[in-house]
Amino acid sequence: FATLANLRAANDNEAPYFTASEINQLGTGTNWQDEIFQSAVMQNHSISVMGGSDKTRVNLSGNFLDQDGIILNSNFRQYQLRANVDHNINDRLKVGIDNVLSSNYTRLLTSDNAERGSGVLSGALIAPPTVLPVNSDGSYGNVRQYVFSPDIAENPVAMALEPRNETRRNSIMSNAYIDAELLPDLKLRSSIGLQYDVYRYDVYLPTTLNRFITGTASIRYNEQSSIVNENILTYSTISNADHSLTLMGGVTAQKNIEKGLLAQATGFSTNTLENNNLQSATNPGIPESGINEFTILSGLARANYSYKSKYLLTASIRADGSSRFGADNKWGRFPSVAAAWRVSHEDFWEPMLSVISDLKLRSSWGTTGSTAVSPYQSLNVLASYTTVFDNNLVIGFAPSNVKPNPALKWE
């Protein structure tokens, strides 16, 4: 390290940074990668109980997962409970429910390759090996002590241990269904599913880091819910053991809602409370909140035909309507067709069955659609602005800087 620093100085026509005596006294120095990396321990425990009767089946299970990251102070922990119940009311009617409760905790580390030593990984590559990670008085070693040191570099051990960057997620997934045999060849399956997630993000960047000398804190909540209803009608028939036809039609609907709340502040006199007392900051930020909502309604149909299980035809079409698009472009229609030949069922293939037992050639064509745009992009939305009237600061609303596009449609 010192030799390379002197070589740099020579290339810049400057005096050496280290004398020969100083170089001889440096020793092996600090291996910063050894300081930030660790052997990651993982434990995973599961338990399940199953039971029931001729008509009812019950499955209960629980899981605990705890996994450390390979960088100091990183961790993922999850608790999960699951319950499944299926019940045959009679020979033609079956109901069931599946519930999953989970709670996750993640301690995050910014491990991307931040520039010039400002992140944990890049800091471990740039920090001088002549510096101790922690000084004898408990303070962190100064990795900027040389004139050639990057002015934004941070002690990588401090970057790993000091910031608070935690995510907590509590979620519920529930799905209930009913299967009904309306006629011998006609079946109905109706289901409704719910996924509900609540996130809390806690961030505190302490004054022990040079870039956040005043301390920065934030708390963010996100709430996401999704409800899906599917209703599928299926008709299946077999004629003379050679012809098989299956017709399917259905309607599905989905509604998604996402809400968010953010509070943040800078300027803390102590790191003790971290982000648990935002009102003690000298520079509290303006709270932010928002909501996004969208719906999708779909109709679908499919026909499958098989002759002797050798020649197969499939045709399907679906129509999807999304609230994300303009009033005249909400609906998209997506057809598809396919044909297949199961060669291995032909008589001439019989000598090859011991080599290849199942061979099928299939060709298909179809279109699909994407709704990968944010809600409200087709609408002229309002945004809040501050202005001055009669020497008073007031808040009003006006069209946002995002120009609406009523022609948005399915991709």
Side-chain angles (χ1 to χ4, degrees):
F1 166 78
T3 302
L4 288 175
N6 284 347
L7 180 60
R8 172 181 175 173
N11 290 336
D12 293 339
N13 296 319
E14 296 178 354
Y17 297 120
F18 301 93
T19 66
S21 175
E22 289 173 334
I23 294 177
N24 293 331
Q25 296 176 6
L26 289 178
T28 57
T30 300
N31 187 324
W32 286 99
Q33 294 189 50
D34 287 345
E35 296 295 331
I36 66 165
F37 288 117
Q38 64 181 1
S39 297
V41 177
M42 181 180 72
Q43 54 178 318
N44 191 2
H45 309 278
S46 298
I47 186 172
S48 62
V49 178
M50 291 175 287
S53 63
D54 293 340
K55 291 188 174 182
T56 305
R57 291 160 300 282
V58 179
N59 186 349
L60 304 175
S61 63
N63 175 258
F64 170 69
L65 172 65
D66 190 359
Q67 180 174 357
D68 290 333
I70 62 171
I71 299 179
L72 288 177
N73 208 30
S74 59
N75 176 263
F76 174 79
R77 188 164 61 245
Q78 175 180 266
Y79 304 88
Q80 188 175 86
L81 293 174
R82 184 165 191 164
N84 302 80
V85 179
D86 297 289
H87 179 65
N88 293 334
I89 298 176
N90 53 46
D91 293 340
R92 293 191 172 188
L93 193 60
K94 177 183 177 182
V95 295
I97 189 169
D98 182 6
N99 294 310
V100 179
L101 305 178
S102 64
S103 179
N104 299 343
Y105 166 82
T106 306
R107 182 182 287 273
L108 299 172
L109 274 179
T110 304
S111 57
D112 58 343
N113 190 23
E115 63 172 338
R116 297 189 296 145
S118 58
V120 178
L121 290 183
S122 64
L125 298 176
I126 287 178
T130 56
V131 177
L132 293 174
V134 181
N135 299 318
S136 58
D137 61 359
S139 62
Y140 289 102
N142 178 19
V143 297
R144 304 182 187 178
Q145 61 179 258
Y146 301 113
V147 294
F148 54 81
S149 298
D151 58 356
I152 62 172
E154 296 282 359
N155 185 310
V157 173
M159 282 289 294
L161 296 179
E162 292 299 315
R164 180 185 184 185
N165 191 355
E166 300 172 346
T167 301
R168 290 173 173 82
R169 174 192 175 192
N170 296 313
S171 65
I172 299 173
M173 288 190 296
S174 183
N175 184 73
Y177 73 90
I178 179 170
D179 285 337
E181 185 177 347
L182 305 180
L183 296 172
D185 297 327
L186 186 63
K187 296 181 180 180
L188 171 67
R189 182 180 179 90
S190 182
S191 66
I192 185 168
L194 166 68
Q195 179 167 350
Y196 180 75
D197 299 291
V198 177
Y199 297 83
R200 171 173 169 143
Y201 304 88
D202 289 282
V203 175
Y204 183 71
L205 304 173
T207 59
T208 50
L209 301 176
N210 293 316
R211 285 186 299 154
F212 309 102
I213 196 64
T214 62
T216 298
S218 67
I219 300 174
R220 180 159 61 98
Y221 280 96
N222 274 90
E223 178 183 325
Q224 300 175 359
S225 62
S226 176
I227 299 178
V228 180
N229 174 238
E230 297 181 341
N231 304 278
I232 306 297
L233 197 63
T234 305
Y235 173 78
S236 300
T237 183
I238 299 176
S239 176
N240 300 326
D242 290 337
H243 303 276
S244 173
L245 177 65
T246 300
L247 303 176
M248 185 271 288
V251 176
T252 68
Q254 179 179 352
K255 184 180 183 66
N256 285 62
I257 301 176
E258 180 178 356
K259 300 177 182 179
L261 176 64
L262 172 64
Q264 53 191 342
T266 60
F268 293 89
S269 59
T270 176
N271 295 320
T272 304
L273 298 175
E274 296 185 329
N275 67 336
N276 295 309
N277 197 267
L278 297 181
Q279 63 270 28
S280 65
T282 58
N283 185 25
I286 298 176
E288 300 177 16
S289 63
I291 182 172
N292 278 320
E293 181 176 341
F294 69 88
T295 57
I296 296 178
L297 179 64
S298 304
L300 53 137
R302 183 177 66 207
N304 291 329
Y305 171 75
S306 171
Y307 177 68
K308 292 186 176 181
S309 298
K310 289 192 297 186
Y311 311 110
L312 312 172
L313 294 174
T314 300
S316 67
I317 187 170
R318 64 179 298 143
D320 299 293
S322 173
S323 63
R324 299 174 187 241
F325 300 122
D328 297 330
N329 299 290
K330 293 187 181 298
W331 287 90
R333 293 162 182 82
F334 310 104
S336 69
V337 293
W341 175 32
R342 194 177 297 275
V343 182
S344 54
H345 282 200
E346 299 288 356
D347 293 338
F348 66 80
W349 193 261
E350 188 171 347
M352 294 292 294
L353 288 177
S354 60
V355 180
I356 300 177
S357 60
D358 190 9
L359 175 63
K360 183 172 71 172
L361 304 179
R362 186 175 187 271
S363 178
S364 64
W365 171 91
T367 61
T368 187
S370 172
T371 62
V373 294
S374 300
Y376 316 125
Q377 297 298 300
S378 65
L379 304 176
N380 190 3
V381 298
L382 298 178
S384 60
Y385 295 91
T386 57
T387 187
V388 176
F389 282 115
D390 295 330
N391 295 322
N392 294 318
L393 188 65
V394 297
I395 297 178
F397 291 87
S400 70
N401 294 326
V402 179
K403 185 178 180 180
N405 182 4
L408 277 178
K409 60 183 180 179
W410 285 86
E411 177 185 358

